[in-house]
Amino acid sequence: MKCPFCNHDDTPVLDTRISEEGDAIRRRRRCANCDKRFTTYERIELTMPVIVKKNGSRSEFDPSKLRASLMLALRKRPVSAEAVDAAIQSIQEKLLSSGAREVVSGQVGELVMRELKRLDKIAYIRFASVYKSFEDVTEFQDAIAEVGQERKAAAKKRND
């Protein structure tokens, strides 16, 4: 950390404390060159990546849009609000941990499909039919067959 008074690089920390709000670390420093003291604050910066849509436009990540999409797919399905919240949290954590400043909307769609597949197979098929723009019955059949194969594989794994 450079000294704000003389720009010297050597500024040892004299004291470290957690702020009153608990959202930052307060550090008292002393410049080894000019002997002046100053305070720095260390805060967590969590910034969701910007979503790049298919048409190239950009918009800020909006968890309420994510919730609306999930709730539409899960309409009249036996999935708890806690499970939906956990799915949203999981998607947000994956986006944050990617470290990307921008994410293509397709990546978010894939994360949503993964969570829906885990939560409820019918909701997954509903979402996939719109997201992947199914145009005929065979695409529905393929998606249903994919879910059925995964279910059989999971059942076989449990029995082994």
Side-chain angles (χ1 to χ4, degrees):
M1 174 68 62
K2 287 188 176 188
C3 172
F5 305 105
C6 70
N7 263 353
H8 190 68
D9 284 336
D10 188 17
T11 58
V13 175
L14 302 175
D15 182 42
T16 300
R17 295 183 185 179
I18 295 175
S19 70
E20 291 178 17
E21 297 82 27
D23 63 347
I25 296 176
R26 177 183 174 268
R27 299 188 196 280
R28 286 293 294 156
R29 296 177 174 270
R30 183 183 59 78
C31 178
N33 185 47
C34 68
D35 208 37
K36 291 191 178 181
R37 294 174 185 227
F38 60 97
T39 303
T40 59
Y41 292 91
E42 185 177 314
R43 289 185 173 80
I44 296 173
E45 183 180 340
L46 295 177
T47 331
M48 292 301 289
V50 172
I51 306 301
V52 181
K53 298 181 180 182
K54 289 179 184 177
N55 66 7
S57 67
R58 288 164 168 69
S59 65
E60 296 210 11
F61 176 81
D62 185 356
S64 64
K65 287 182 180 179
L66 183 60
R67 179 177 298 283
S69 292
L70 285 167
M71 294 310 289
L72 185 60
L74 290 163
R75 187 168 173 249
K76 296 186 179 183
R77 298 299 303 156
V79 177
S80 70
E82 292 81 18
V84 173
D85 291 341
I88 292 168
Q89 186 65 34
S90 173
I91 292 168
Q92 287 180 311
E93 286 171 5
K94 286 177 180 135
L95 290 173
L96 280 171
S97 67
S98 75
R101 297 180 122 214
E102 294 185 339
V103 174
V104 181
S105 61
Q107 279 183 276
V108 178
E110 293 297 325
L111 292 172
V112 170
M113 288 197 355
R114 196 173 305 146
E115 288 297 320
L116 284 172
K117 189 182 273 188
R118 186 182 57 77
L119 287 175
D120 186 271
K121 306 299 186 219
I122 300 298
Y124 165 76
I125 298 294
R126 284 179 182 168
F127 186 85
S129 69
V130 174
Y131 176 72
K132 292 184 175 182
S133 302
F134 288 179
E135 295 193 14
D136 60 26
V137 177
T138 58
E139 291 179 277
F140 272 102
Q141 290 171 330
D142 292 344
I144 292 167
E146 176 190 331
V147 170
Q149 288 173 350
E150 288 176 7
R151 190 173 180 185
K152 286 178 186 176
K156 184 177 179 184
K157 197 174 190 179
R158 280 192 303 258
N159 293 335
D160 287 345

